[in-house]
């Protein structure tokens, strides 16, 4: 029931809701003002005490985060109301608000609270005690409309509703113009989406869903729900969300803050190795090689290749005397180090110790071993270990390697590449200039290399332990001085009675007040409480290994569509991707309703899907747009596309999706006619017109799409038909095809544009 069509009753209902919503905003303003006051007071505090300063910084960060939280939920603070059969009612919103002066009675239920769940699940067939569900639409702080669904059929108003929850509100959201930023769906979550969002924390949950089914929105709302429900557990370990590219992460960046969550780490696959951002472009074939699971053995061979044996004896001059390292001596030291089964850098001290011991025996023999005792031999070993010539030899035979140096050396050396990849004919694709940047596929290899190399941090740990003992000894001296006071009353407690030397020494230790997300971003060994992957079908086997290391508990949500796999190293089977890690211990759920793509467009996309030979049914569209897809054939392709874009007058966003081989020419032509069009690897999606490759458009949506040369899209990649399916399903209103070459057979039914 839509009160917008009933003038008199509308005014009364709107006034009543406006009064309550104004009360909620007044309460929010009080919270914001109180927090702002606390922040200002904290900032005024001064102290020379390091601990007090650290606590002040922590409080400042806490209050700042609260203010950001309150600001993020400003728009759409309250969006629903439940009227129950017992004449009680509850308002639903983005956060929970309580009346502190009235025994903390709830003024507004957080949408994630169990008590709010009937707002998304109640139907006329199963009302769950709900008599009426009301959707409240606002613009800033003003109530603009209310839409009611009466679920109690015995009530005075007869209004049967068993389909989409909040259909009027949902269709309003679906037909609204896109802005280049993803919005949340908290007001219009449907039952099948709610079931997934509120699934338990443990285990691997796979959400298979076709285009437009809300996979991304469900994943983000699930993150917000899990953080609300398992706050204590996840606030310590954090939540990681992995997206396909940085454009996509910018597109979704405002969703979680609008849901009241700001502590989630968002990264691309190319950012999974701390300190590296893999943005350099590389051929798809090269990325496919790097993504193969065989890279594990290849990198292992490459690491062993750095543990060298000399072809000729190595002569070292130490204090004018010659010492010799022959191949047999080095081989024995290498075998001893390898038998420890430690990573390369951690086994290096064992190798170095064996080399020094062998050289010390030579020196002892020269001096007369029969006259030397164990102390003399220890002195010789210590002195040799400090010699530059000895260290240079060890570094040459078993170098200390960082993952970056290791991969850089490997990519730049044909001989090392041949050793690591003896069975790959096209290994030349892996050649890389030492000064070139890293790619997304490199990030997974850097992480794998870090596992194989390890870190020899003995010196750092020893230095830290020395500092700790020195500070503790100093603290003990202070306590001893206090205890030695002659006139001290034995019945009065002193510092000596209340604190020991260890706690006193640690009083100024810096506490880490960074959020879990901030700490995790800088720590390769960090393990997350939950990992969410969007477009998970694009992950290579090597990327899967990285994510499984980040989440040993296997608490994961994986959303994707194997029919949309475009990456050559991606998967077309969830079982194949997950079996090495969890076997068959994972849960599959499906989203079946297409909220984005109109039925006219989906009918064409379904023809493409049928040719992919995947056991997946196309999602069912909930609406029609009234505009059928069209095609336009032109000889001068860039000019024709530019003309169409320049003449486009429909409201909302327009995306020009192009094959990679034509992207530069098409982008130049479009920008010449529409100078503010967004182009490049990281276009501004808030521009009305953007030019993207099909891969760059993955996960995004636009009001209108112009697809250029679909035949080339298909021919450019072995997974080109999958890319075509993706391209056709980005639009919420209309799709046009511009081409010079013949169209793929699946698009033969599209009518020509007049």
């Amino acid at each position: 029931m839509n009160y917008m069509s009933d003038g008199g009753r509308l005014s009364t209902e709107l006034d009543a809701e406006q009064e309550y919503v104004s009360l909620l905003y007044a309460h929010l303003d009080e919270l914001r003002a109180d927090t702002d006051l606390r922040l200002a007071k904290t900032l005024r505090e001064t102290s020379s005490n390091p601990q007090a300063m650290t606590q002040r910084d922590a409080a400042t960060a806490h209050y700042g985060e609260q203010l950001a939280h309150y600001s993020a939920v400003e728009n759409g603070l309250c969006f629903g109301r439940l009227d129950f059969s017992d004449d009680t009612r509850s308002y639903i919103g983005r956060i929970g608000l309580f009346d502190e002066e009235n025994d903390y009675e709830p003024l507004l239920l957080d949408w994630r609270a169990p008590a709010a769940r009937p707002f998304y699940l109640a139907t006329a067939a199963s009302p769950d005690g709900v008599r009426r569900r009301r959707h409240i639409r606002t613009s800033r702080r003003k109530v603009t409309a209310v839409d009611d669904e009466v679920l109690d059929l015995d009530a005075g108003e007869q209004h049967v509703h068993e389909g989409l929850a909040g259909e009027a509100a949902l269709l309003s959201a679906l037909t609204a113009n896109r802005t280049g930023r993803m919005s949340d769906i908290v007001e219009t979550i449907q039952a099948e989406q709610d079931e997934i969002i509120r699934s338990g924390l443990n285990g691997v949950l796979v959400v298979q869903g076709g285009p437009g089914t809300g996979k991304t929105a469900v994943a983000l709302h699930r993150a917000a729900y899990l953080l609300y429900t398992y706050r204590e557990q996840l606030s310590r370990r954090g939540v990681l969300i992995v997206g396909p590219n940085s454009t996509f992460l910018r597109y979704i960046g405002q969703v979680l803050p609008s849901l009241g969550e700001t502590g989630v780490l968002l990264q691309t696959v190319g950012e999974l190795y701390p300190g590296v951002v893999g943005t350099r472009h590389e051929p798809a074939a090269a990325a496919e090689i790097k993504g193969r699971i065989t890279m594990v053995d290849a990198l292992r061979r490459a690491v062993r290749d750095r543990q060298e044996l000399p072809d000729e004896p190595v002569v070292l001059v130490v204090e004018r005397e010659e010492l010799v390292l022959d191949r047999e001596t080095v081989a024995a030291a290498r075998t001893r180090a390898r038998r420890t089964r430690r990573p390369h850098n951690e086994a290096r001290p064992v190798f170095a110790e064996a080399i020094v011991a062998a050289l010390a025996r030579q020196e002892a023999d020269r001096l007369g071993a029969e006259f030397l005792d164990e102390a003399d031999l220890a002195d010789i070993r210590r002195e040799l270990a400090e010699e530059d010539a000895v260290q240079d030899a060890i570094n040459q035979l078993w170098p200390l390697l960082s993952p970056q140096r290791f991969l850089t050396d490997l990519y730049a050396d044909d001989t090392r590449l041949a050793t690591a990849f003896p069975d790959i004919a096209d290994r030349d694709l892996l050649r890389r200039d030492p000064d070139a940047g890293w790619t997304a596929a490199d990030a997974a290899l850097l992480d794998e290399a870090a596992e194989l190399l390890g870190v020899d941090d003995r010196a750092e740990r020893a230095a830290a332990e020395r500092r700790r003992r020195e500070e503790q000894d100093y603290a003990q001296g202070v306590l001893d001085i206090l205890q030695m006071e002659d006139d001290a009353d034995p019945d009065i407690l002193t510092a000596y009675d209340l604190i020991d030397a260890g706690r006193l020494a640690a009083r100024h230790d810096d506490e880490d007040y960074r959020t879990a997300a901030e700490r995790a971003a800088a720590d390769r060994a960090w393990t997350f409480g939950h990992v969410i992957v969007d477009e998970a079908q694009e992950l290579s086997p090597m990327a899967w290994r990285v994510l499984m290391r980040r989440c040993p508990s296997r608490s994961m949500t994986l959303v994707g569509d194997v029919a949309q796999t475009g990456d050559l190293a991606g998967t077309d089977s969830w079982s194949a991707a997950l079996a090495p890690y969890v076997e068959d211990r994972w849960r599959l759920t499906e989203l079946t309703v297409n909220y984005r793509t109109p039925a006219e467009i989906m009918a064409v996309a379904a023809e493409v899907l049928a040719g992919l030979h995947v056991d997946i049914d196309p999602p069912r569209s909930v609406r029609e747009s009234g505009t059928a897809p069209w095609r336009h054939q032109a000889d001068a392709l860039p000019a024709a596309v530019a003309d169409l874009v320049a003449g486009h007058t429909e409201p909302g966003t327009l995306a020009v999706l192009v094959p990679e081989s034509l992207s530069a020419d098409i982008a130049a032509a479009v920008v010449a006619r529409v100078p503010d069009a967004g182009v490049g690897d990281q276009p501004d999606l808030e521009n009305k017109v953007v030019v993207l490759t099909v891969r760059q458009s993955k996960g995004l949506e636009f009001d209108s799409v112009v697809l250029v040369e679909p035949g080339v899209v298909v021919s450019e990649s072995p997974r080109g038909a999958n890319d075509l399916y993706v391209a056709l399903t980005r639009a919420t209103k209309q799709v046009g095809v511009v081409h010079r070459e013949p169209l793929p057979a699946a698009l033969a039914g599209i009518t020509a544009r007049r």
Side-chain angles (χ1 to χ4, degrees), residues 40 54 120 180 205 306 404 414 448 565 614 633 647 736:
T54 301
Y120 302 109
L205 174 66
R306 301 305 300 268
Q404 290 92 325
D414 289 334
E448 192 71 33
T565 304
V614 293
Q633 189 166 12

Side-chain angles (χ1 to χ4, degrees), residues 388-430:
D388 290 342
V390 175
Q391 286 299 316
D392 290 344
I394 293 172
N395 289 335
Q396 178 64 37
L397 299 170
W398 195 298
L400 185 66
L401 296 170
S402 69
Q404 290 92 325
R405 178 188 166 189
F406 166 70
L407 272 191
T408 297
D409 291 349
L410 175 62
Y411 288 156
D413 191 312
D414 289 334
T415 302
R416 295 195 189 282
L417 282 173
T419 300
F421 304 97
D423 302 324
I424 298 181
D426 51 356
R427 57 178 173 263
D428 287 346
L429 288 170
L430 302 180

